[in-house]
Amino acid sequence: MGLSIGLLLFVGIGESYRVSPMLLLTNICNQAELLKSSIDANLKLGVPIEFQGFGLQAQKLAEQSEQIVRVDIDSNVRNRSTGEAAPNAGATDTQNLSCSMGDKALLRVLTIDWKGLAFESNRPGHHSQYQIKLILEDKIGPVGQLIINPTPGIFNQVINDQFRPVVIFSLLLIIFVPIGIALAQHFVSLHPVRLQKTLYHLTFVVVGFFIIINLIQLYASGIKGQSFSLANSLEARLNAPFKLGFDIDRDLSGIDTLFQDYRLKNQDISHIYLFHDGHVSAASVTEQYAGEECSGVRGDRRGSSGNSDNGKIDCSISSLAYETNNEDFIVTRLPLTNDSYQIVVKTPWEKVYDRLWDATRNILVLFIASILLSNMLLDVLLTVQGNVLKRKPKNGSKDSPKDNPEEISIQSDGLSQSLKLIRPVFALGVLMEAVNLSFLPAYFTRLFEGSGYSASTVFGLYFMCFAASLFPAGRWAEKHSLRNMMLAALTLSVGGLVGLAFTDNPLVILLLRAFAGFGQGVLFIAVQSYLLQLESKDRSIRGTEQLVIGFNMSTISGAAIGALLMPMLGEQGVFMTGTLIGLSCFLYCAFVVKDLDIAPSITKLEPLENRGKGYSIQHLLTDIEFYKSIILIGFPTKALYVGVLIFTMPVLLKEANFDTDVIGQIIVLYYLGVLGSTHLISKFKSRLQQTEWILFFGCIGSGAGLMLIGQQNWFLGLDVVSQLSDHAQNIVFIMVILIGVLTIGVSHGFIHAPIISHVVKSKKATLVGKATTGAAYRFLERLGHVSGPALAAILLFNSDNSVRVESLTTVGIGVTLLGILFVGLNGLSWLYELVRYNKMLHTGEKNA
């Protein structure tokens, strides 16, 4: 409970730090940039930087803004050769921020106030100090700098105030919910496992709900604050002429230009109006709303009489008051010193919804990742707990297993329990590497720049070592302890990962990735062999399905969680996180997992004196079913996965102007499809004895998904779609992509889940050994991983590196034909076996 809820809180708070401080920094920079523009304009007219009016302007900005505590003008800086300001001598204990930094760069600079999330503290000096420096220029060059000092703790305090009740509430749940579960199990003996799972998941959902609600409030208040800050700044600037006796309408010009500058620096703002006696005196409106009057009614700029009235729009104050409660806009209205003038700033609610959708979408993906992992670990906990309760004798009973129904139940459930206990080994073993997926290519590219090595060299070496370990690991697994194999594999993987946090030497990194590749390959074969042993004892246990579930679950969770951890912890911090996951997996494997006491099966068709003698991998090369599975199913599926989903799809989506995080989440949809279809297959075990047809449906679905994506232009060209608005057409385009990717994912689940079970059913596979056969298949299908990008570059890309979308349809048709050929060859295979059997009968062979 503590780990899962803690992870969820970390995810939610981390997401708030990714967005909320950026909103505040943008707001501060907008105000500072406007002051800088005003000062620069006067400097270029010849006003010296020592002019006292600049200091008054700076002081006025600090007084007006809640985000700024002090603004200084440093006139002792001048570097015309570089245009850069020298460091401020009085700011040695502060950290510099830049208005051009992105959210990830800002997150690396910020110090997260973890204690402040639980305990409120107003101790002086408790918060980190930050500064923003802007260069001031005259018509020759830099003459000084504007130093903005944000309010201490502004970035932390807003988040702490919002999330402190959630953190305290979650801590209380972590303490009292397990107590409640224990009491409930003590008094309610019916379905204790279901009760425990229900209460656990209910707690998880409640905390997640409160996190999302608080994120909504946090971002909405941030955007509202941006609107109010802009209106407040404009109010202060326009009040100055009144104090000097000027009339804005009669004596001043350029108000529209001023409003436009403000609006362009605040992209969320859609309307800025200056009202005088119920009419618009000046305005700036985005192009989207350029044809609308202030009341939201489209029309020309006209006066109350309907004729031209110096460009003023007839808009009464009463209609403005009505707009304050308008569901489409956030309206901020401030009166000036002269009550006949009012400033009105409008922000569309859709801007808030856009930001909330981005944040909520990320939270939901991470929420799913946390659910997948914690639910698996809860199954392990309940299994261990159930074993203890079942083995505990009641009333001092010393009956033998034959007389004790509970002991018989334990023996019958042993294989199912072994399956639940082995799942975390592979899931956590993959997770330790998956947390690096979101940033590892970019990290290696930056690290190896100018070293003579490239990021592709590192990844190529990793996959080569992974593939090279499969054959020897498969042979080793036939005769040795699988548990010891897992421990050795985890040792290599952890050693290959922890070193990345302490070195940037290219040669050392290559060696470490080689170790990690060997370790992951050995772990894969050890777990696969363990699952195949379980499946050979009880065919209702779909062991390879669990392999698929573990891989995709860990990939989804690792990619989602790692993407959040990296900006907060940095690359080294994420490497250490992966190392801790690997060490936890090692300890779990050492204390929980036991070797199975299951003898390998031997075909009944083999003479007794030849069983287990002289059979090696070469015998698989004469197995037509093995060849057929590799050439028609395994190789194309892996090539499609890497070539289309991993290599081509991000390029295609980038050409369509999708953001990077959205692209990643669309790809995650593929893994969710694989998980869903694998789970569906497990629900219909009794109907899946003919695995050929399941593989066939997988090929048909893969082809259909590819053809759907390839025909996106045809969908957009339909008369019904072409008559829709641009926004609606974008929705249709997105839905075509989403449905296509999800269809491919679901179809690949139909292939990944039964393929190993199908391959190891042949006679030659039984003779050679299931572990060896599975390892050989995994090695050969990895050739699809290697060749996928090259095939995609030839078949799907134009000479200018743009994607040839229509070619996806051709590839989809090809995949469909391979599935039809795979099923069609079954008839030839049956005919071959019939002829061979008749020949054996005529020759009198004992094997017949």
Side-chain angles (χ1 to χ4, degrees):
M1 182 72 73
L3 286 173
S4 58
I5 300 300
L7 175 63
L8 191 60
L9 284 173
F10 189 82
V11 164
I13 294 168
E15 184 66 19
S16 68
Y17 266 96
R18 193 183 69 85
V19 178
S20 180
M22 199 64 211
L23 284 174
L24 291 170
L25 179 63
T26 301
N27 193 6
I28 295 171
C29 287
N30 287 341
Q31 299 175 64
E33 289 282 355
L34 291 169
L35 176 59
K36 174 186 177 323
S37 299
S38 175
I39 295 176
D40 283 347
N42 287 278
L43 291 174
K44 291 175 181 178
L45 293 175
V47 179
I49 193 174
E50 293 80 9
F51 176 57
Q52 292 183 355
F54 295 155
L56 294 176
Q57 282 184 277
Q59 182 180 355
K60 190 67 175 177
L61 174 60
E63 293 174 353
Q64 295 167 0
S65 176
E66 295 180 356
Q67 292 89 23
I68 300 174
V69 66
R70 193 176 76 254
V71 180
D72 299 320
I73 298 177
D74 186 358
S75 59
N76 298 321
V77 181
R78 191 179 189 94
N79 189 342
R80 299 185 183 276
S81 61
T82 63
E84 297 180 354
N88 185 13
T92 56
D93 57 343
T94 62
Q95 299 187 62
N96 291 329
L97 303 179
S98 171
C99 291
S100 61
M101 63 179 12
D103 53 355
K104 293 181 180 179
L106 175 61
L107 193 54
R108 291 189 180 186
V109 176
L110 296 180
T111 301
I112 300 177
D113 183 18
W114 295 109
K115 291 183 179 179
L117 290 167
F119 306 102
E120 186 173 1
S121 174
N122 296 319
R123 176 169 51 87
H126 173 67
H127 300 290
S128 300
Q129 302 292 320
Y130 301 101
Q131 281 189 348
I132 303 171
K133 299 179 182 180
L134 302 177
I135 303 300
L136 299 174
E137 298 179 306
D138 59 12
K139 57 185 177 182
I140 300 177
V143 295
Q145 60 182 349
L146 190 65
I147 303 175
I148 310 296
N149 294 272
T151 302
I154 181 176
F155 300 113
N156 306 106
Q157 198 62 41
V158 174
I159 297 174
N160 290 349
D161 292 342
Q162 188 71 48
F163 275 94
R164 189 176 295 115
V166 181
V167 171
I168 295 175
F169 175 69
S170 301
L171 291 175
L172 293 175
L173 288 179
I174 291 172
I175 295 173
F176 289 107
V177 169
I179 297 176
I181 290 175
L183 293 175
Q185 286 182 322
H186 180 73
F187 292 105
V188 181
S189 58
L190 186 63
H191 303 300
V193 173
R194 185 180 302 173
L195 174 66
Q196 184 165 338
K197 276 194 172 185
T198 301
L199 291 176
Y200 170 80
H201 288 122
L202 180 62
T203 306
F204 202 90
V205 170
V206 167
V207 174
F209 173 78
F210 277 112
I211 288 175
I212 293 177
I213 291 298
N214 278 272
L215 282 174
I216 292 174
Q217 296 175 356
L218 184 66
Y219 299 157
S221 62
I223 293 180
K224 289 179 180 178
Q226 188 180 46
S227 176
F228 179 80
S229 176
L230 186 145
N232 198 37
S233 178
L234 284 174
E235 178 204 16
R237 295 193 66 173
L238 294 178
N239 271 330
F242 285 121
K243 295 178 181 179
L244 297 175
F246 292 99
D247 182 83
I248 292 180
D249 279 350
R250 185 180 65 252
D251 301 326
L252 300 179
S253 62
I255 304 295
D256 291 297
T257 303
L258 174 67
F259 283 5
Q260 184 173 359
D261 290 340
Y262 269 78
R263 187 180 56 77
L264 291 177
K265 293 181 181 297
N266 295 266
Q267 294 296 322
D268 293 329
I269 304 298
S270 61
H271 302 70
I272 303 178
Y273 291 118
L274 176 64
F275 282 88
H276 182 206
D277 292 331
H279 294 81
V280 175
S281 179
S284 178
V285 184
T286 59
E287 294 182 2
Q288 181 180 358
Y289 304 99
E292 297 183 6
E293 296 177 340
C294 61
S295 62
V297 181
R298 294 184 179 275
D300 299 327
R301 292 171 62 88
R302 65 184 70 204
S304 57
S305 63
N307 300 321
S308 175
D309 187 18
N310 297 324
K312 295 183 179 180
I313 301 176
D314 183 19
C315 180
S316 66
I317 298 299
S318 60
S319 69
L320 187 60
Y322 168 78
E323 280 197 46
T324 303
N325 299 318
N326 195 313
E327 295 182 355
D328 295 330
F329 296 93
I330 300 172
V331 180
T332 301
R333 180 178 58 182
L334 292 178
L336 300 184
T337 301
N338 185 336
D339 290 338
S340 63
Y341 286 90
Q342 290 185 340
I343 293 176
V344 177
V345 178
K346 295 171 59 175
T347 304
W349 270 107
E350 66 180 27
K351 294 289 186 179
V352 181
Y353 298 149
D354 287 343
R355 289 185 181 272
L356 294 177
W357 165 241
D358 290 340
T360 305
R361 185 186 64 237
N362 292 335
I363 282 292
L364 289 176
V365 171
L366 294 166
F367 187 84
I368 293 172
S370 301
I371 285 283
L372 292 174
L373 284 175
S374 56
N375 194 49
M376 176 195 65
L377 296 176
L378 182 62
D379 280 338
V380 174
L381 174 65
L382 294 176
T383 300
V384 175
Q385 183 187 55
N387 287 343
V388 173
L389 293 176
K390 287 179 180 180
R391 288 186 172 90
K392 184 178 180 179
K394 292 186 177 181
N395 300 323
S397 174
K398 297 182 179 180
D399 295 337
S400 64
K402 293 182 179 180
D403 300 326
N404 190 345
E406 293 184 358
E407 198 68 29
I408 296 174
S409 175
I410 292 173
Q411 294 175 358
S412 64
D413 292 342
L415 294 176
S416 176
Q417 293 173 359
S418 297
L419 176 62
K420 291 180 179 179
L421 295 177
I422 194 62
R423 287 174 59 198
V425 176
F426 185 65
L428 295 177
V430 173
L431 181 67
M432 64 182 293
E433 285 285 339
V435 293
N436 308 320
L437 286 178
S438 61
F439 66 88
L440 207 58
Y443 174 72
F444 284 150
T445 300
R446 184 177 73 252
L447 196 63
F448 287 177
E449 186 176 359
S451 66
Y453 298 94
S454 64
S456 60
T457 305
V458 186
F459 286 98
L461 180 62
Y462 174 87
F463 285 111
M464 285 176 58
C465 293
F466 186 100
S469 68
L470 297 180
F471 274 132
R475 299 302 288 175
W476 183 273
E478 297 288 349
K479 300 179 181 180
H480 296 85
S481 167
L482 296 179
R483 173 179 171 275
N484 292 340
M485 280 186 66
M486 296 176 200
L487 293 175
L490 290 170
T491 300
L492 288 173
S493 296
V494 170
L497 185 59
V498 67
L500 296 179
F502 299 100
T503 183
D504 57 0
N505 186 295
L507 291 177
V508 176
I509 289 177
L510 287 172
L511 183 63
L512 292 172
R513 297 312 292 163
F515 282 145
F518 273 115
Q520 288 291 309
V522 173
L523 179 66
F524 187 92
I525 294 301
V527 176
Q528 177 178 270
S529 302
Y530 196 99
L531 294 172
L532 287 174
Q533 286 190 16
L534 290 174
E535 190 172 351
S536 67
K537 192 69 174 180
D538 184 355
R539 294 188 62 83
S540 65
I541 296 177
R542 297 284 174 176
T544 52
E545 294 174 10
Q546 302 301 322
L547 203 68
V548 175
I549 290 174
F551 175 80
N552 288 279
M553 179 187 67
S554 296
T555 302
I556 294 171
S557 302
I561 295 173
L564 174 69
L565 294 181
M566 201 283 290
M568 301 178 69
L569 303 179
E571 290 88 350
Q572 284 69 29
V574 178
F575 291 145
M576 292 305 300
T577 301
T579 300
L580 292 176
I581 295 173
L583 290 175
S584 301
C585 185
F586 181 92
L587 294 174
Y588 173 85
C589 184
F591 289 101
V592 178
V593 177
K594 306 296 181 183
D595 279 315
L596 297 172
D597 186 17
I598 300 177
S601 59
I602 301 176
T603 178
K604 296 180 180 180
L605 297 178
E606 182 63 13
L608 182 62
E609 62 273 14
N610 291 334
R611 290 179 187 175
K613 294 183 180 180
Y615 289 98
S616 62
I617 295 175
Q618 286 80 359
H619 287 79
L620 289 175
L621 302 181
T622 62
D623 192 331
I624 187 172
E625 196 63 36
F626 186 81
Y627 268 123
K628 189 174 68 172
S629 301
I630 286 291
I631 296 174
L632 301 181
I633 303 295
F635 182 90
T637 300
K638 294 302 181 182
L640 174 62
Y641 165 67
V642 176
V644 176
L645 267 298
I646 303 301
F647 185 68
T648 304
M649 190 60 64
V651 179
L652 175 62
L653 297 176
K654 198 66 177 179
E655 290 177 357
N657 297 318
F658 283 87
D659 293 333
T660 302
D661 58 337
V662 177
I663 294 174
Q665 289 163 6
I666 291 175
I667 301 301
V668 165
L669 193 65
Y670 164 85
Y671 297 106
L672 291 175
V674 174
L675 280 178
S677 60
T678 303
H679 181 72
L680 180 65
I681 289 175
S682 66
K683 293 294 184 181
F684 298 95
K685 299 184 181 76
S686 60
R687 303 182 183 181
L688 302 181
Q689 299 302 320
Q690 294 296 330
T691 53
E692 294 88 351
W693 288 104
I694 304 302
L695 297 172
F696 169 73
F697 291 136
C699 291
I700 297 298
S702 299
L706 286 171
M707 288 186 278
L708 180 63
I709 298 174
Q711 292 299 309
Q712 57 185 258
N713 293 330
W714 179 81
F715 280 101
L716 295 176
L718 293 174
D719 291 338
V720 177
V721 178
S722 60
Q723 295 176 3
L724 298 175
S725 64
D726 291 342
H727 181 68
Q729 291 185 28
N730 287 333
I731 293 178
V732 172
F733 172 74
I734 293 173
M735 292 304 299
V736 169
I737 296 293
L738 293 179
I739 294 174
V741 171
L742 183 61
T743 302
I744 296 174
V746 171
S747 303
H748 278 192
F750 277 76
I751 293 174
H752 295 328
I755 186 64
I756 293 296
S757 299
H758 175 79
V759 169
V760 301
K761 284 193 304 184
S762 67
K763 293 185 296 297
K764 295 294 178 63
T766 308
L767 294 172
V768 173
K770 291 186 176 182
T772 302
T773 303
Y777 175 84
R778 293 299 186 190
F779 174 78
L780 293 175
E781 76 170 358
R782 286 300 187 275
L783 298 178
H785 280 167
V786 176
S787 59
L791 293 174
I794 296 173
L795 299 175
L796 302 178
F797 281 80
N798 297 311
S799 57
D800 60 351
N801 292 327
S802 61
V803 178
R804 203 162 48 245
V805 180
E806 295 78 9
S807 298
L808 289 171
T809 302
T810 305
V811 175
I813 294 173
V815 172
T816 303
L817 293 177
L818 290 177
I820 296 173
L821 181 61
F822 175 77
V823 173
L825 287 177
N826 276 343
L828 296 178
S829 177
W830 296 332
L831 181 61
Y832 169 78
E833 291 295 334
L834 181 60
V835 172
R836 179 172 176 268
Y837 175 69
N838 287 330
K839 182 179 178 180
M840 293 171 67
L841 286 177
H842 284 89
T843 57
E845 292 187 23
K846 292 184 293 182
N847 291 353

